Amino acid sequence: MSTPSMPPPNQPPLQALPSEESQPRRRYRAPAGPPGHVDFPLLNIILILVVIGLVSVFSASAHVAQTQMGDALHFVKRQTFGAALGLVAMLLALRVDVYKLPQWIKPLMYLTIVLLACTHLPGIGVTAKGSSRWVNLFGFVFQPSEIAKPILVLYLSSILGHPYYARYPLKQRLEMLAPVGAILGLVLFQPDLGSTIAIGGAVVVLYFVAGLPYWKFISLVSGAAVSVFILSWTTSYQKARITSWLDPWSDPQGTGYHLIQSMIAIGSGGFMGNGFGQSIQKLFYLPEQHTDFIFAVISEEFGFLGVLTLLGIFVWLAQRGVTIGFRSPTPYLKLMAIGLSSMVVSQAFINLAVVSGTIPTTGITLPFISFGSSSLIVNMAAMGLLLNVSRYMIRPSQSAAAPAAPPA
Amino acid sequence: MPTSVTPNAAMEQRIRLFYFAVMVGFMIVAGRCAYLQFYENTKLKDIAARQQKKIVSIAGKRGTITDRNGHKLALDVRAYSIYVDPEYVEGSPQEMATQLSPVLAIPADKLEPLLAGKSWRYLKRKVDEAVMKQVKDLKLKGIGIITENRRVYPHDRLGASLIGFTNIDNQGLEGIEKSFDAYLQGGTEKVSILTDAHGNELLRTDGDLPFLTEKSKSNKVVLTIDENVQYLAERELQKGMDATKADRGVAIVMGLENGDLLALATNPVANPNEIATAGWSPHIKNWAVTDFYEPGSTMKIFTIAAALDAGKTSPDEVIACPTLIHVDRWPVHDHHQPPGRVRNLRPIEILEVSSNTGSSILGRRMSAEQHRNILQRFGFGTATHSGLNGEVGGILPKLPWAASRQSTVSFGQGIAVTPLQIVTAASAMVNRGIRVEPRIIDQIVSPDGKVIKAFPPIKSRTLSESSANAMLGMMQQVVESPKGTAHSAKIPGYVMGGKTGTADKVVNGRYNGDVMSSFVGVLPADNPKFVIFVLFDAPKTAHYASMTAVPVYKEIARNLITYYGLQPSRPDELKDYALAPAASISLPSQLPSPVNP
């Protein structure tokens, strides 16, 4: 590609394709810099979510931290530090030129895959509770699968959003999926089914929005669903999760414990909740009360009103992502907007569905809310990118001046 | 793949679908939450309560002992015991000992073997909440805390020998605590508490003591004692002890209407709050009922009363009393009288000069059986129904009585009584011949306020009214007459009465030269309301009751007059009295009953 602002994806230079030969070759022109300001509602949503997260982590973890660490603020301090770093990451992501990002996607993808592989390396990888999800680099412990999400979104949107993507032969288009498959496979065999589904969900959403035909889309989703089910059914602990989801009361102290405690927490919240800090289930009844199951604590303390508020904020986030996608001028930006927002929203959906018992249990955190610095930093960086993208939005006031840009 | 020239339009269609899917997904989650929070709310709340609430058994609070006005004399407060369970101990015992030592105030070298031991041990029992919190804050593994109750006697020594005390396990060991242990025992209380999943109790802050607000499940024992009368009796007794240097002393105040014991003081007495730390003290014993003594000349009033009641004499009869007589070859002589003289004495004069020979003559006018029966009616030889712990009946010799035995019993030797028996017997004389059994427990009240056991007064006719009144008259003479041995007890304006008694003390079967010096008095003697008894065991500064017990009686009487507002019946005596109360000039016709107002 000769355009400096849009370097080629990891493919050999394109020559004339038989099917496209008749069409005039259109040169890609980069828009001249971001025209507008960031999407302020989205900025508000992010800040609100971070604050809700800090407050909820405090409420959910204070007793545990006091009992186990002797410092009620142990987790809150770390989360606040994470939020501060996340803010820095968000501002950095806001400063980069999104059109130059694809230049870096190849080394980033390699780095991600290497990091994911490192989780299994003794010395660097950290294994806890039977899964190798963490990497310990110079004292910093983080989850490479968290980093993988936005990088994958970036990778796919730069490929799928490329104007000549459709001209590639199927074989090459499938080859482009190899690193995606590698990442999904590595995450799956950490094992981390929840993150795999969340990443896979974002991948599927990106392909769907990019215009994958419906029959392909449906067969892809159903194929994925069937394979996930088969995989689950053949793994003993995954099978136990499905059976305990179907009937948690058959083993209330064993496999059903997580779900039952979570349902008790949500159910005893009622309409108005017990009040902030008044959750009793967080006092060691709920497992992972400040990480995976923090939503149960919020439900118990703030009741159905709190649940609706939180769900509303995530839906609002999705709505902002969709709006940014709608109004972005190029497919690349559209895909990036949808990919980044769906990454957060789908993970939130899976977490909420798991905690409320809507789908079988799988370990996944609630973005922005659950305790976890690496997740918070990565999510805030991703939202920084989304804010960055939002600056290219064609706003209604501008649409009159540029009649070609607005959507149909 | 769509290859249209407007890829954006197709993409936007897909974006709409994605947004729709997100909405649907979140609505499903919201619906699920609504189902849990509304439809299943009650059920899940029940389950939550079942797992979060824990019923714990804690040592129930022991019942309270109060005086007649409801003032607490003994009560339970929450206390905490610190134990070590070596199975869970982590870290070196040495370190733990140095950490615990300042908190528990036990030397570290004493704690260390306990911590290093192999078995479950108490480190310290019944510490305060503050100490418990300090121990808790140390967060030592293997050190635990048990919530218990500690018995507290808010007035320290007040009524200690009467109330008794409990051991560290809150079992009554002495006094009321022991004799009514079955009623006072708290048993175990079941309390529902909120816990976290590890079973630790929640919602406990410094000011929040849910346990203490729990109502006690144990009964309340209400004594007939009046805290204030008990205090003044103890105070005056202490003064008497200081003055006489006696070994022991007893002061008893009994109300005549129901036989209510208003004060039962012994001296010296140990502090029941310190029993656990200072060790058991013999002074905690209520020797007013557990020990008996030879009453000596105090017995003479009962001999004369018996003779009067048996019709063997009359108040006006003049009896020839030699200063020395022989009964079955045993000599009986009057003190401080040369032998070989004969005094003509009326019964009252026998009392006044305390004539042994006169009493012996009068006693022996009755048959031994008749004599013993009347003494039995007075209550000698059997324990009263007071319900006090360890009460004994004294010694009333069995029939047949030799003449010498009857003779010595007549003047109070060869018979043994408890101080409380003297008070009981005296009540018959001053109460128109009706003896009232002493009551120490007013009632036992259940936690919900019901009286589960009442102690109705027990009264029995002991003397005919005329002989009782004659005896009362004689007792008045002992104080009122200037010749009487207790004339110093006279309080102007009031009619007083009583009888001194000075008995040789028997130690190991021999008279050792010490005496038991006592006074049994009545207040006021013209309308008896109280019997007051004061006894000193082995006073050193003076032997005669007029120097030992009588001043104490007088002071107690004076205080009772003030406390109950008794009106003087002889206001003319107060004319010379500078401090004559103005109210005493016009007397109300009906005096309020001081005992059961």
Side-chain angles (χ1 to χ4, degrees):
Chain A
M1 277 316 211
S2 56
T3 323
S5 61
M6 182 64 188
N10 313 321
Q11 271 81 41
L14 282 177
Q15 297 306 318
L17 289 169
S19 58
E20 308 279 333
E21 215 168 4
S22 57
Q23 290 195 355
R25 190 151 166 192
R26 289 194 301 134
R27 288 182 68 87
Y28 179 81
R29 293 193 188 282
H37 57 77
V38 297
D39 187 48
F40 291 122
L42 179 63
L43 185 62
N44 289 340
I45 291 167
I46 296 159
L47 296 179
I48 289 169
L49 280 175
V50 169
V51 169
I52 290 178
L54 286 175
V55 171
S56 305
V57 165
F58 170 62
S59 170
S61 72
H63 185 74
V64 178
Q66 181 66 48
T67 313
Q68 293 176 349
M69 325 274 178
D71 177 13
L73 293 174
H74 175 82
F75 292 108
V76 184
K77 283 175 186 164
R78 289 180 55 184
Q79 185 80 344
T80 313
F81 183 65
L85 284 185
L87 213 57
V88 173
M90 196 167 93
L91 292 173
L92 286 178
L94 204 50
R95 298 301 300 169
V96 301
D97 183 347
V98 283
Y99 282 108
K100 281 186 180 165
L101 270 178
Q103 289 176 354
W104 300 95
I105 197 64
K106 200 169 162 184
L108 283 174
M109 285 296 275
Y110 282 136
L111 182 70
T112 308
I113 290 169
V114 168
L115 282 175
L116 280 170
C118 279
T119 57
H120 294 283
L121 278 185
I124 301 173
V126 180
T127 305
K129 294 177 189 169
S131 56
S132 317
R133 296 183 185 177
W134 296 270
V135 162
N136 187 347
L137 275 186
F138 315 114
F140 289 101
V141 181
F142 62 95
Q143 286 195 48
S145 58
E146 294 287 347
I147 300 169
K149 289 173 200 166
I151 287 174
L152 206 54
V153 167
L154 204 61
Y155 173 75
L156 281 174
S157 41
S158 59
I159 289 172
L160 298 177
H162 196 285
Y164 298 155
Y165 173 74
R167 298 188 190 175
Y168 287 98
L170 183 65
K171 195 184 162 208
Q172 286 190 355
R173 278 186 284 172
L174 288 177
E175 276 169 12
M176 293 174 205
L177 270 175
V180 179
I183 288 176
L184 283 175
L186 280 169
V187 175
L188 182 62
F189 289 105
Q190 277 180 347
D192 187 354
L193 186 64
S195 293
T196 314
I197 294 172
I199 297 170
V203 171
V204 168
V205 166
L206 277 172
Y207 267 93
F208 177 72
V209 172
L212 193 69
Y214 284 107
W215 69 269
K216 281 187 185 171
F217 171 74
I218 289 164
S219 46
L220 178 65
V221 169
S222 47
V226 167
S227 53
V228 163
F229 179 75
I230 289 170
L231 195 69
S232 303
W233 204 252
T234 49
T235 320
S236 61
Y237 81 94
Q238 295 282 10
K239 186 181 171 184
R241 282 178 171 183
I242 295 176
T243 50
S244 71
W245 169 61
L246 292 171
D247 183 13
W249 299 100
S250 60
D251 188 6
Q253 288 302 316
T255 52
Y257 182 79
H258 285 48
L259 186 54
I260 286 174
Q261 293 304 328
S262 177
M263 285 184 348
I264 288 173
I266 296 172
S268 51
F271 182 64
M272 295 290 286
N274 296 343
F276 177 62
Q278 299 296 314
S279 163
I280 296 173
Q281 286 294 103
K282 70 187 178 190
L283 307 171
F284 301 110
Y285 289 104
L286 270 174
E288 316 285 338
Q289 63 279 84
H290 58 288
T291 55
D292 290 5
F293 282 87
I294 197 164
F295 175 63
V297 176
I298 296 172
S299 307
E300 192 184 352
E301 295 189 349
F302 296 103
F304 188 62
L305 282 182
V307 170
L308 274 192
T309 310
L310 193 64
L311 295 187
I313 291 171
F314 277 110
V315 170
W316 192 16
L317 182 85
Q319 188 264 339
R320 285 330 292 171
V322 164
T323 306
I324 295 165
F326 240 90
R327 295 186 182 163
S328 291
T330 62
Y332 168 61
L333 293 184
K334 281 182 192 291
L335 286 172
M336 197 126 97
I338 298 302
L340 290 171
S341 53
S342 73
M343 176 191 107
V344 170
V345 171
S346 65
Q347 189 179 337
F349 169 76
I350 293 171
N351 176 274
L352 300 177
V354 163
V355 173
S356 62
T358 320
I359 62 171
T361 308
T362 179
I364 193 165
T365 58
L366 186 57
F368 297 106
I369 312 286
S370 289
F371 171 76
S373 309
S374 59
S375 164
L376 185 62
I377 294 166
V378 169
N379 279 322
M380 287 180 80
M383 287 302 103
L385 271 184
L386 186 55
L387 285 171
N388 197 342
V389 171
S390 74
R391 297 197 296 179
Y392 294 90
M393 265 202 295
I394 297 157
R395 292 189 163 72
S397 57
Q398 298 170 324
S399 61
Chain B
M1 285 278 154
T3 52
S4 94
V5 285
T6 55
N8 280 4
M11 214 175 246
E12 279 149 15
Q13 183 62 29
R14 293 294 179 91
I15 290 173
R16 276 194 199 96
L17 283 172
F18 161 71
Y19 188 46
F20 177 72
V22 168
M23 296 286 279
V24 169
F26 277 86
M27 275 166 81
I28 290 171
V29 171
R32 169 75 183 168
C33 287
Y35 169 76
L36 288 174
Q37 293 184 315
F38 297 120
Y39 184 74
E40 299 236 290
N41 177 254
T42 348
K43 183 186 140 198
L44 289 169
K45 264 195 167 164
D46 276 1
I47 298 167
R50 231 179 295 148
Q51 70 175 14
Q52 290 160 0
K53 281 200 180 130
K54 197 168 79 170
I55 307 289
V56 289
S57 299
I58 54 165
K61 283 171 105 178
R62 192 177 165 84
T64 305
I65 300 176
T66 73
D67 81 341
R68 62 188 300 115
N69 301 320
H71 299 141
K72 291 186 174 97
L73 298 175
L75 68 154
D76 259 24
V77 297
R78 198 59 62 185
Y80 303 89
S81 291
I82 316 293
Y83 66 83
V84 57
D85 194 344
E87 234 178 88
Y88 298 98
V89 166
E90 288 173 18
S92 79
Q94 231 168 346
E95 259 175 54
M96 288 170 75
T98 47
Q99 274 182 289
L100 277 170
S101 166
V103 177
L104 295 180
I106 304 174
D109 52 330
K110 277 192 182 169
L111 272 177
E112 217 183 301
L114 293 178
L115 293 165
K118 285 199 163 58
S119 53
W120 192 101
R121 293 286 292 270
Y122 277 120
L123 292 180
K124 190 163 189 179
R125 289 198 68 179
K126 309 213 170 176
V127 298
D128 292 339
E129 175 143 356
V131 177
M132 180 274 285
K133 284 208 147 89
Q134 285 178 40
V135 172
K136 219 175 181 179
D137 288 344
L138 289 176
K139 288 193 194 304
L140 294 173
K141 293 272 161 64
I143 304 292
I145 294 156
I146 299 176
T147 306
E148 290 187 301
N149 296 303
R150 187 159 54 94
R151 198 66 164 162
V152 167
Y153 304 91
H155 299 297
D156 281 353
R157 286 181 172 78
L158 188 81
S161 62
L162 174 71
I163 298 161
F165 64 97
T166 64
N167 65 2
I168 194 88
D169 292 316
N170 262 13
Q171 291 163 325
L173 289 192
E174 266 293 349
I176 303 290
E177 295 274 31
K178 186 178 182 190
S179 47
F180 291 91
D181 198 37
Y183 290 100
L184 289 167
Q185 277 290 348
T188 50
E189 278 177 58
K190 297 223 181 297
V191 182
S192 160
I193 56 168
L194 275 179
T195 65
D196 69 10
H198 297 166
N200 296 319
E201 193 200 350
L202 304 182
L203 309 175
R204 291 259 294 161
T205 56
D206 285 346
D208 179 28
L209 296 166
F211 286 143
L212 280 183
T213 59
E214 286 280 318
K215 261 181 98 175
S216 172
K217 303 276 192 299
S218 46
N219 306 303
K220 183 171 78 170
V221 171
V222 181
L223 302 184
T224 58
I225 294 290
D226 187 312
E227 193 179 78
N228 303 310
V229 178
Q230 176 76 23
Y231 169 71
L232 68 91
E234 287 189 7
R235 186 186 65 193
E236 298 308 330
L237 184 64
Q238 182 63 51
K239 282 184 196 163
M241 291 289 290
D242 294 343
T244 60
K245 307 276 186 291
D247 289 350
R248 305 188 291 183
V250 163
I252 299 172
V253 178
M254 185 168 95
L256 279 170
E257 193 166 318
N258 293 322
D260 290 357
L261 288 171
L262 298 167
L264 200 161
T266 61
N267 194 306
V269 65
N271 183 349
N273 286 325
E274 288 164 3
I275 291 286
T277 47
W280 191 81
S281 158
H283 296 321
I284 203 77
K285 188 168 78 165
N286 187 7
W287 72 279
V289 295
T290 59
D291 288 12
F292 45 75
Y293 71 105
E294 279 197 335
S297 48
T298 312
M299 201 62 203
K300 286 167 192 161
I301 53 170
F302 302 110
T303 306
I304 293 169
L308 273 174
D309 199 54
K312 302 293 186 190
T313 183
S314 70
D316 299 323
E317 187 191 3
V318 179
I319 301 146
C321 301
T323 48
L324 173 67
I325 58 170
H326 284 85
V327 180
D328 284 357
R329 291 179 288 126
W330 292 93
V332 176
H333 55 83
D334 286 347
H335 288 290
H336 309 298
Q337 294 293 329
R341 284 180 55 196
V342 175
R343 292 187 290 179
N344 291 327
L345 301 170
R346 290 180 296 143
I348 172 68
E349 286 155 350
I350 292 178
L351 281 187
E352 278 176 1
V353 302
S354 202
S355 165
N356 288 348
T357 54
S359 306
S360 174
I361 291 164
L362 279 182
R364 284 178 57 226
R365 284 186 184 175
M366 293 173 279
S367 73
E369 203 176 3
Q370 194 178 23
H371 190 181
R372 193 178 186 277
N373 273 349
I374 296 177
L375 291 184
Q376 243 177 347
R377 291 214 303 265
F378 273 119
F380 296 121
T382 48
T384 67
H385 291 89
S386 70
L388 283 163
N389 179 48
E391 184 171 1
V392 294
I395 300 167
L396 180 62
K398 285 193 182 122
L399 289 173
W401 284 358
S404 58
R405 167 56 54 91
Q406 193 181 3
S407 164
T408 56
V409 165
S410 299
F411 53 88
Q413 290 179 0
I415 180 172
V417 299
T418 64
L420 192 61
Q421 277 178 328
I422 295 280
V423 176
T424 315
S427 74
M429 257 175 294
V430 300
N431 205 23
R432 295 187 177 82
I434 295 167
R435 187 175 65 103
V436 286
E437 290 273 353
R439 288 168 78 233
I440 189 65
I441 314 292
D442 190 31
Q443 55 193 26
I444 296 174
V445 186
S446 69
D448 46 2
K450 268 187 272 178
V451 176
I452 49 174
K453 191 165 183 194
F455 296 81
I458 302 169
K459 301 181 180 184
S460 54
R461 164 72 56 189
T462 302
L463 297 174
S464 66
E465 196 168 340
S466 58
S467 40
N469 287 344
M471 290 311 299
L472 185 56
M474 288 181 208
M475 285 169 78
Q476 282 180 25
Q477 283 297 307
V478 171
V479 180
E480 298 290 323
S481 152
K483 286 191 295 177
T485 46
H487 186 63
S488 60
K490 171 73 180 162
I491 298 173
Y494 296 87
V495 185
M496 319 281 286
K499 175 72 187 94
T500 54
T502 307
D504 290 320
K505 189 180 171 184
V506 180
V507 176
N508 296 331
R510 288 172 181 279
Y511 294 107
N512 71 344
D514 277 337
V515 293
M516 302 287 279
S517 185
S518 71
F519 183 80
V520 54
V522 58
L523 176 85
D526 52 347
N527 178 22
K529 298 220 180 287
F530 305 103
V531 171
I532 301 164
F533 178 72
V534 180
L535 167 67
F536 286 107
D537 180 352
K540 302 295 186 296
T541 55
H543 275 190
Y544 293 106
S546 53
M547 306 288 285
T548 58
V550 170
V552 177
Y553 158 79
K554 185 180 176 182
E555 283 311 307
I556 292 175
R558 190 201 297 285
N559 281 293
L560 283 179
I561 287 166
T562 316
Y563 183 60
Y564 286 109
L566 300 181
Q567 298 294 327
S569 50
R570 289 180 185 165
D572 52 309
E573 283 181 4
L574 294 167
K575 274 176 186 162
D576 306 331
Y577 220 64
L579 296 171
S584 65
I585 305 303
S586 58
L587 285 174
S589 56
Q590 188 67 46
L591 291 177
S593 166
V595 177
N596 276 335

